[in-house]
Amino acid sequence: MSDATSSQSATELLGVVLDEHLRWIGQWHRAAFFRDGAGGERPSAPAAFAAWCVAANRDDLVHQPAVLKLATLHEQMHRQAKLALLKASGGDSPSEAEYEAVIARFEEFVLHLRRMERAFGAAASGLDPLTGLRTRRGMMEALEREHNRFHRTGQPFCLALADIDKFKNINDTYGHDIGDRVLAGTAAVISRGVRSFDEAFRMGGEEFLVCLKETEMEEGYAVIDRLRLDLMESPVLLADGREIPVTASFGLVEVDDGASIDDLLIRADRALYQAKNAGRNRVIRHGVDRPAAPPAPTKPARPRA
């Protein structure tokens, strides 16, 4: 691995991986179909992909589903290509089915690679490619600006932390593609339900953050509870006509003089935790709504004499 390659990010290396594989497929064609498998240099798996895997691990991306899928496609493609070359070296050209298997994997690999290039490019810009909302990248800077404005002008603001209820069950039951539709649909409800100068972020996973500017607690509660109801009325429709109901729990907090942004996020998270414990699909206002009392234990009835 060259020093230049080792210093590149996973995003930058995707382009190198694509270029190397476009050259590799030509080498593979020559080797598989000309001069008994010795047509040109014997192609090996391009080295850039191994460097990309190292960079993905360094950037903490290696466990992302899209990254795992790309690695699987890469392994399958090169395994099938190697088998075809072994056959060619024995004097037999690959069959049409064997050829198509390699080309199908190559096309799928390139398509997925280009999708990841676009997604990584969007992520680098601070936009979540799935939902179109801003990500954590730049979120703290945006919240600090609003916090400074509060101290400068006295204009209040509220933060609402939202978490889709039982999202893991949705993924486990219907698959990640449907889970992605739920995430995108939730983001769309949030985007429609806030004013143009408010800000919304995807925190990661199934969590979202909404910043309601120039808003006190009661007004903020009305906005967020309306979002909650809108989400209930926006189920995800499956191809077979079934509907997946979607709800979310919210923790709401209003800024005050003594609270930092970190303090506000912690308070919103605590309120969200209370909303989950109280039965989900509700808005809990930090400092206003009390935690729901656990149900009293039932005493066993005394046997009759």
Side-chain angles (χ1 to χ4, degrees):
M1 189 188 311
S2 70
D3 291 340
T5 301
S6 64
S7 66
Q8 288 179 300
S9 69
T11 305
E12 294 168 330
L13 277 170
L14 281 173
V16 180
V17 170
L18 179 59
D19 290 343
E20 282 200 357
H21 276 84
L22 291 174
R23 289 193 294 271
W24 167 82
I25 196 65
Q27 294 172 353
W28 178 82
H29 272 97
R30 289 190 293 275
F33 293 100
F34 298 100
R35 294 193 295 279
D36 297 329
E41 278 188 50
R42 285 296 293 261
S44 57
F49 189 78
W52 180 80
C53 289
V54 171
N57 186 62
R58 184 182 66 231
D59 295 348
D60 200 25
L61 300 170
V62 72
H63 298 299
Q64 294 289 331
V67 173
L68 294 173
K69 180 178 179 180
L70 189 69
T72 299
L73 288 171
H74 183 268
E75 190 276 332
Q76 292 172 344
M77 174 179 66
H78 284 287
R79 184 177 69 246
Q80 291 171 337
K82 184 176 181 180
L83 290 173
L85 290 183
L86 286 173
K87 185 175 181 179
S89 66
D92 294 323
S93 295
S95 68
E96 184 176 354
E98 291 166 334
Y99 171 78
E100 290 295 343
V102 175
I103 295 304
R105 280 288 178 266
F106 173 76
E107 290 175 347
E108 191 176 1
F109 176 76
V110 169
L111 179 63
H112 195 62
L113 196 61
R114 291 193 187 280
R115 285 175 179 165
M116 287 187 64
E117 269 195 305
R118 291 194 296 271
F120 279 28
S125 71
L127 291 178
D128 175 47
L130 177 62
T131 64
L133 298 180
R134 296 173 67 185
T135 64
R136 281 181 177 271
R137 183 186 180 94
M139 182 188 77
M140 291 302 294
E141 182 181 343
L143 296 184
E144 287 291 354
R145 281 199 302 270
E146 192 60 25
H147 195 246
N148 291 337
R149 193 164 76 96
F150 163 71
H151 284 295
R152 190 174 65 252
T153 67
Q155 287 282 7
F157 66 91
C158 289
L159 299 181
L161 193 58
D163 186 274
I164 299 172
D165 294 328
K166 299 184 178 180
F167 183 71
K168 184 178 185 301
N169 289 350
I170 294 173
N171 269 338
D172 291 346
T173 304
Y174 300 101
H176 288 279
D177 286 345
I178 299 300
D180 285 350
R181 286 178 57 189
V182 170
L183 290 169
T186 300
V189 169
I190 291 173
S191 297
R192 289 195 306 266
V194 298
R195 299 161 299 185
S196 59
F197 58 86
D198 293 325
E199 297 192 80
F201 307 87
R202 183 182 177 194
M203 297 281 285
E206 65 271 27
E207 277 197 340
F208 300 85
L209 182 77
V210 180
C211 177
L212 300 173
K213 300 180 180 181
E214 301 176 13
T215 302
E216 296 180 346
M217 179 67 84
E218 288 313 302
E219 184 185 358
Y221 177 81
V223 172
I224 297 302
D225 199 51
R226 188 177 67 246
L227 285 182
R228 181 186 66 82
L229 294 172
D230 287 347
L231 192 59
M232 286 178 62
E233 296 170 358
S234 305
V236 170
L237 183 64
L238 300 180
D240 60 9
R242 288 180 297 161
E243 292 183 345
I244 302 175
V246 181
T247 66
S249 302
F250 298 82
L252 182 66
V253 63
E254 181 184 348
V255 66
D256 63 47
D257 286 321
S260 67
I261 291 297
D262 285 338
D263 293 332
L264 294 175
L265 292 174
I266 290 170
R267 293 174 188 178
D269 189 60
R270 287 174 180 165
L272 172 59
Y273 182 78
Q274 291 176 20
K276 292 287 188 183
N277 278 352
R280 303 183 179 88
N281 188 24
R282 64 194 65 217
V283 182
I284 292 293
R285 296 164 289 182
H286 180 270
V288 177
D289 300 311
R290 296 300 170 202
T298 55
K299 294 182 180 180
R302 290 189 179 187
R304 296 192 179 194

